[in-house]
């Protein structure tokens, strides 16, 4: 079971840490509510976080959604907990992320060049390249190996063309570069440069349909929660929408 830590304003006299199970959009979490107010000393907050982490660990939790605005480095290292990975979430929203990032720079239209770098083909990459090639006329795909079958399929099924193994000059001229894995020589000089593999880079603002949004709890890190819900199979591609207007 995944874990969740969340801030709770609480009331004086209420227990400082309450642990139990919580359902969010039908996904189950072992949840620790940590009482915290504007006047709670940081030393007290750290002690409560440690207590919450210890109790979640006893429930078999190894991955946890962090509280809102809580640095990962503040997790007790000896508790054996790690933040839920956002990598799958990042891959789920790539094509919409590219669209929003381009729009925030005033770049639109179908004649946009998108360069994509990855190690090998997988389902997420195939879906992303397919979505991008249906939206933009020029998609450049740089793989360490493979890709020929995908390009033939896209041409045969949709009549779109994807350029394999682009040159350095072609990559540099692209309006957007999307890296599923580190790639030497990709300098980052493109108007949009997204390092999908790097979980330290900020995610864009993601929103769900209103009926789902209203069921999300407060006091918890939003990106981590959405990543956990995606991992639990609650979220599907297309349900998450990237808000335009930000400059990653």
């Amino acid at each position: 079971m995944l874990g969740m830590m969340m801030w709770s304003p609480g009331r004086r006299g209420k227990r400082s840490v309450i642990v139990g199970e919580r359902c969010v959009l039908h996904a189950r979490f072992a949840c620790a509510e940590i009482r915290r107010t504007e006047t709670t000393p940081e030393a007290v907050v750290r002690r409560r976080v440690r207590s919450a982490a210890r109790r979640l660990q006893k429930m078999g939790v190894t991955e946890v959604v962090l509280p809102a605005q809580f640095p990962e480095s503040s997790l007790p290292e000896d508790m054996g907990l790690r933040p839920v990975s956002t990598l799958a979430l990042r891959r789920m929203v790539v094509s919409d992320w590219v669209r929003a990032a381009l729009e925030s720079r005033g770049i639109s239209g179908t004649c946009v060049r998108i360069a994509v770098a990855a190690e090998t083909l997988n389902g997420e990459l195939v879906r992303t390249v397919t979505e991008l090639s249906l939206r933009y006329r020029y998609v450049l795909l740089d793989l360490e190996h493979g890709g020929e079958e995908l390009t033939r399929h896209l041409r045969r099924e949709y009549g779109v063309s994807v350029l394999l193994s682009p040159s350095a000059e072609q990559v540099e001229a692209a309006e957007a570069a999307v890296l599923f894995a580190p790639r030497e020589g990709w300098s980052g000089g493109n108007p949009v440069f997204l390092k999908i593999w790097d979980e330290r880079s900020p995610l864009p603002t993601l929103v769900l349909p209103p009926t789902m949004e209203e069921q999300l709890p407060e006091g918890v890190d939003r990106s981590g929660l959405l990543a956990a819900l995606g991992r639990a199979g609650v979220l599907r591609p297309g349900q998450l929408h990237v808000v335009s207007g930000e400059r990653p």
Side-chain angles (χ1 to χ4, degrees):
M1 182 185 301
L2 291 174
M4 176 193 301
M5 292 182 179
M6 59 188 301
W7 302 130
S8 173
R11 297 182 300 274
R12 187 176 295 276
K14 183 180 178 181
R15 284 181 293 170
S16 58
V17 178
I18 300 176
V19 176
E21 286 194 12
R22 181 168 187 148
C23 250
V24 179
L25 296 176
H26 305 293
R28 291 172 57 245
F29 293 87
C31 179
E33 296 184 43
I34 304 168
R35 182 155 58 87
R36 181 192 189 190
T37 67
E38 294 181 357
T39 60
T40 306
E42 285 305 308
V44 174
V45 173
R46 287 195 295 271
R47 185 165 64 248
R48 291 174 180 174
V49 168
R50 176 170 287 277
S51 173
R54 186 180 299 111
R55 293 171 67 179
L56 288 176
Q57 186 193 37
K58 288 181 179 178
M59 296 174 69
V61 171
T62 57
E63 294 180 89
V64 63
V65 179
L66 298 175
Q69 299 177 340
F70 182 84
E72 294 182 11
S73 57
S74 296
L75 267 180
E77 294 183 0
D78 58 339
M79 291 292 99
L81 297 181
R82 62 182 184 275
V84 172
S85 171
T86 62
L87 188 56
L89 176 67
R90 293 167 183 273
R91 292 171 175 169
M92 182 186 297
V93 300
V94 170
S95 59
D96 203 28
W97 192 354
V98 169
R99 173 201 55 77
L102 287 169
E103 288 179 355
S104 71
R105 289 157 175 78
I107 304 172
S108 60
T110 60
C111 295
V112 175
R113 294 158 294 187
I114 313 293
V116 180
E119 293 179 345
T120 57
L121 279 176
N122 56 37
E124 294 167 323
L125 182 61
V126 168
R127 177 175 55 81
T128 297
V129 172
T130 301
E131 291 175 352
L132 289 173
S133 63
L134 292 175
R135 180 176 288 167
Y136 303 106
R137 183 174 300 175
Y138 305 107
V139 175
L140 322 174
L141 180 58
D142 186 30
L143 294 171
E144 293 187 2
H145 52 83
E148 293 81 6
E149 180 58 35
L150 173 61
T151 60
R152 286 194 292 267
H153 168 74
L154 291 174
R155 185 187 298 274
R156 181 175 62 248
E157 190 73 18
Y158 303 108
V160 297
S161 178
V162 173
L163 175 65
L164 275 179
S165 304
S167 66
E169 291 76 15
Q170 289 172 318
V171 170
E172 290 176 3
E175 283 77 16
V178 181
L179 283 72
F180 279 77
R183 181 66 88 248
E184 185 177 351
W186 289 41
S187 62
N190 311 83
V192 172
F193 191 80
L194 302 180
K195 295 190 290 185
I196 305 302
W197 59 271
D198 187 359
E199 295 191 69
R200 297 169 300 177
S201 61
L203 274 159
T205 300
L206 302 170
V207 296
L208 290 168
T211 54
M212 300 177 74
E213 280 286 345
E214 63 189 18
Q215 298 181 59
L216 301 184
E218 298 180 355
V220 65
D221 177 69
R222 183 179 176 86
S223 296
L225 177 59
L226 292 176
L229 293 173
R231 174 125 143 243
V234 174
L235 303 182
R236 299 184 301 276
Q239 287 182 312
L240 281 167
H241 178 68
V242 179
V243 177
S244 302
E246 301 185 357
R247 297 175 65 89

